[in-house]
Amino acid sequence: MMIQVSGLNKIYNSGEHPVHALIEVNLEVKAGEFVSVMGPSGSGKSTFMNILGGLDTPTSGSYRLDGIEISSLDDTGMAKVRNRKIGFVFQNFNLLPRMTALRNVEMPMLYAGLNARERVKKATTALERVGLAGRIDHRPNQLSGGQIQRVAIARALVNEPAVLLADEPTGNLDTRSGEEIMAIFQDLNRSGATIVLVTHELDIALHTSRIIHFRDGRLEADEKVENPLDAVEQLKKLGPAHQNSPRSGEISAPGALTEAVPHSQTLSAEQGRKGDAR
Ligand SMILES: Nc1ncnc2c1ncn2[C@@H]1O[C@H](COP(=O)(O)OP(=O)(O)OP(=O)(O)O)[C@@H](O)[C@H]1O
């Protein structure tokens, strides 16, 4: 079992009254599953993801990640687990604005003791994996929202984590860019990645094979998706990307997680959207 959560509770005591944000949550996720987390605002999704990611600790209960009991680790132990086992993708991207895509993706490897050549090689491979081979020297303000999110995914992948956690990774993107991100996640999942993704959109959740629902801090439903939507098929239905449409991306064919549009064709659109990409 990749993720094993039992009797998990989280109580915040920061305000005047304690907030019971998670109540007796139980969940098991096998290696290789693709799970989405849904629920109204305030239902506990972020709290749950923060605990899964080792960014916060539960008040009580057990959380095992890849066999390691996380809830009993100290800060140093937790930081190690985060660095080695978990890849994060956030809605607001969290990239360093002054650094190129390549340097951003190299960041998680800086502390892993790899030499510069190995770092560049692995970062380049990760960027190729998300279809950004031709953009490795671009800075975030030279990329579309969808491309920035792909850099963030490459960065999350580069240490080969046991699990990928994504909090609203398509939340700031248009339909096509969102589908492109889902195509990458589906591709990674088919190669064996375990992924847990928070989304407010059912259309996005239906790309995963299991949806769990939170309400008032409780995990109230856990359902299997019989025929998950295939993002590559959805992209075909959307038709060809319009050259002038803001933030349109480049993945347009099955398996084509590579650049389909020559660099020069996208430059003008990029210039037009500078500044609103994040
Ligand atoms: N640091 C904190 N201190 C006190 N209360 C908190 C803290 N973080 C979250 N909460 C409370 O815990 C509950 C769950 O919040 P959480 O952010 O996990 O919900 P969510 O489902 O992620 O919501 P959203 O979809 O709006 O992001 C809410 O009542 C929230 O106000």
Side-chain angles (χ1 to χ4, degrees):
M1 202 58 65
M2 183 59 76
I3 291 171
Q4 226 169 348
V5 165
S6 61
L8 201 77
N9 286 278
K10 178 69 185 182
I11 301 170
Y12 290 111
N13 282 310
S14 46
E16 207 172 309
H17 303 287
V19 176
H20 209 148
L22 293 175
I23 306 168
E24 292 297 316
V25 174
N26 300 304
L27 178 72
E28 293 196 331
V29 176
K30 293 195 196 85
E33 276 198 82
F34 190 2
V35 182
S36 48
V37 177
M38 299 195 77
S41 185
S43 58
K45 305 179 300 291
S46 300
T47 302
F48 186 63
M49 292 296 275
N50 286 343
I51 292 174
L52 288 190
L55 299 168
D56 202 353
T57 47
T59 307
S60 65
S62 156
Y63 166 35
R64 294 175 79 84
L65 172 66
D66 207 9
I68 302 169
E69 178 61 54
I70 303 292
S71 39
S72 61
L73 294 177
D74 60 11
D75 286 354
T76 320
M78 206 121 118
K80 267 192 193 157
V81 167
R82 267 202 308 273
N83 199 28
R84 294 195 187 147
K85 301 245 172 221
I86 301 164
F88 292 98
V89 181
F90 296 99
Q91 177 181 12
N92 58 1
F93 315 121
N94 283 323
L95 295 185
L96 298 166
R98 286 175 197 278
M99 291 197 187
T100 63
L102 188 71
R103 294 278 173 255
N104 267 289
V105 176
E106 276 186 55
M107 287 302 284
M109 292 183 286
L110 282 180
Y111 306 102
L114 290 177
N115 67 39
R117 219 171 116 189
E118 281 173 303
R119 287 203 305 268
V120 169
K121 195 171 156 211
K122 286 186 99 175
T124 306
T125 305
L127 284 163
E128 282 167 358
R129 184 85 206 262
V130 299
L132 288 178
R135 296 286 193 283
I136 63 174
D137 291 325
H138 285 53
R139 289 187 173 73
N141 71 351
Q142 298 169 315
L143 297 167
S144 71
Q147 289 169 339
I148 292 171
Q149 193 58 298
R150 287 196 257 157
V151 176
I153 295 173
R155 186 184 53 177
L157 284 180
V158 80
N159 274 343
E160 294 157 36
V163 56
L164 266 182
L165 301 177
D167 200 351
E168 291 270 353
T170 62
N172 282 332
L173 304 178
D174 65 284
T175 307
R176 170 175 291 279
S177 304
E179 284 295 345
E180 287 171 352
I181 295 303
M182 293 313 287
I184 291 170
F185 280 129
Q186 287 184 331
D187 182 49
L188 293 169
N189 177 246
R190 282 180 197 123
S191 331
T194 310
I195 306 172
V196 182
L197 171 156
V198 173
T199 182
H200 278 107
E201 295 168 77
L202 184 60
D203 283 355
I204 292 294
L206 288 172
H207 289 71
T208 71
S209 46
R210 180 179 174 192
I211 306 179
I212 60 172
H213 296 265
F214 277 91
R215 181 172 288 275
D216 301 331
R218 295 181 193 273
L219 201 165
E220 67 158 18
D222 183 345
E223 50 187 355
K224 189 174 174 357
V225 180
E226 285 304 334
N227 290 305
L229 293 171
D230 184 303
V232 172
E233 290 300 318
Q234 298 299 309
L235 280 168
K236 277 194 218 156
K237 280 187 202 162
L238 287 174
H242 293 292
Q243 205 178 305
N244 295 327
S245 73
R247 301 190 190 185
S248 65
E250 294 137 13
I251 298 172
S252 53
L257 298 180
T258 51
E259 303 243 294
V261 180
H263 189 176
S264 57
Q265 279 186 19
T266 55
L267 261 186
S268 58
E270 269 172 10
Q271 281 158 354
R273 78 178 84 92
K274 261 184 199 173
D276 79 339
R278 277 161 300 142

